[in-house]
Amino acid sequence: MAGHSKWSNIKHKKAREDAKRGKIFTRLIREITVAARIGGGDPDGNPRLRSATAAARGANMPLDNIERAIKKGTGELEGMSYEEVLYEGYGPAGVAILVEAVTDNKVRTVADVRHIFNKYGGSLAEPNAVAWQFEQSGQILVETEGTDEDTVMMAALEAGADDVVAEDEVFVVQTAMDALFDVEKALQEAGLTVREAELTYLTKNMLDVPADKAASIERLMEALDDCDDVQNLHTNAQFPDEDEV
């Protein structure tokens, strides 16, 4: 499947580390708030909110926190006003990086993101300098426990998915943007456990990373991921096998 690289595995490991120190709660609360503001506070009628609240429950976020985040998004409770921003940049070896952020202060966030790019050998780019190398797609993560790739593949393709790839702990189901939540529903009805369903960016063409640049690119990605306002990262970097680094 186009658009997948070693960074997808790094990102999942980072998510587990974030959960241990509570940082993932902040990201989930922002996502829930933005989803509720854009699409309303009813998860049944707001697929993005439904996915965000499911992820929050999966991270063991208290129900009160989820409900407060929804009410802040719909305006029932006062709170910070968040907005989504997309930054584009280049890393070492010229790899393309998309940075999805949710912020209450764009001036602060762009300064933070620019500083990280500069510090780790990259550069922030102008709008559309990098984004053309990616396309939006639906992505569903299905738990591997209790099933196998053939079962997931059959259920996903019958529901209209484009592809299925097995990773370390999940099956990654790729869909068209407008088919994401129909496929998610079909997988759940087939008895499969969906960990996450989201719209994401996939690169159109991977860029092979020289072995001597892999570590510096990973440091840049990890520093961006640690930025409080950053929600998701996407890159066209195709990392070498570990024994080649």
Side-chain angles (χ1 to χ4, degrees):
M1 177 170 60
H4 280 267
S5 71
K6 181 180 176 183
W7 175 246
S8 62
N9 292 330
I10 296 171
K11 185 175 71 170
H12 294 315
K13 292 176 182 176
K14 289 288 292 177
R16 290 196 297 272
E17 294 169 2
D18 286 348
K20 292 178 182 178
R21 63 181 184 262
K23 183 174 179 180
I24 197 170
F25 276 21
T26 300
R27 292 184 173 182
L28 288 169
I29 286 171
R30 292 185 181 190
E31 172 63 15
I32 291 169
T33 301
V34 170
R37 177 173 60 82
I38 293 173
D42 180 9
D44 291 335
N46 184 342
R48 179 174 175 179
L49 179 60
R50 184 168 68 245
S51 179
T53 54
R57 289 193 298 270
N60 297 316
M61 180 183 290
L63 181 59
D64 286 349
N65 293 29
I66 297 173
E67 292 177 346
R68 281 198 300 272
I70 293 174
K71 289 179 179 179
K72 287 178 181 178
T74 58
E76 295 175 66
L77 290 177
E78 291 186 3
M80 292 183 178
S81 178
Y82 294 112
E83 57 183 316
E84 296 176 292
V85 286
L86 182 69
Y87 301 112
E88 306 173 37
Y90 295 101
V95 300
I97 299 173
L98 285 183
V99 181
E100 291 184 88
V102 173
T103 179
D104 62 327
N105 185 329
K106 291 197 293 185
V107 174
R108 179 198 66 225
T109 303
V110 70
D112 289 345
V113 171
R114 179 181 289 109
H115 172 74
I116 292 169
F117 269 106
N118 292 342
K119 181 178 179 179
Y120 290 92
S123 60
L124 197 62
E126 294 296 320
N128 300 318
V130 166
W132 64 270
Q133 300 182 57
F134 298 81
E135 60 185 355
Q136 276 200 291
S137 174
Q139 181 172 276
I140 303 168
L141 305 185
V142 177
E143 299 282 1
T144 57
E145 186 174 354
T147 189
D148 56 53
E149 186 172 2
D150 288 342
T151 300
V152 176
M153 179 76 75
M154 182 175 297
L157 295 183
E158 286 183 355
D162 295 331
D163 200 1
V164 177
V165 170
E167 291 194 354
D168 289 345
E169 301 176 350
V170 295
F171 295 110
V172 180
V173 180
Q174 181 184 351
T175 77
M177 289 176 59
D178 57 2
L180 173 63
F181 293 103
D182 287 340
V183 175
E184 178 194 14
K185 182 179 179 181
L187 294 175
Q188 291 172 330
E189 291 176 347
L192 300 171
T193 301
V194 174
R195 177 188 295 183
E196 181 181 308
E198 64 176 355
L199 292 175
T200 188
Y201 289 89
L202 298 180
T203 180
K204 297 175 183 177
N205 294 290
M206 304 301 292
L207 178 66
D208 288 331
V209 172
D212 63 342
K213 296 292 185 180
S216 59
I217 295 170
E218 289 185 11
R219 284 194 293 270
L220 168 59
M221 299 290 285
E222 288 171 358
L224 287 168
D225 197 44
D226 283 338
C227 180
D228 288 340
D229 296 334
V230 172
Q231 294 287 97
N232 293 296
L233 297 170
H234 313 280
T235 181
N236 66 347
Q238 177 67 56
F239 289 88
D241 293 335
E242 291 185 3
D243 57 0
E244 297 178 22
V245 179

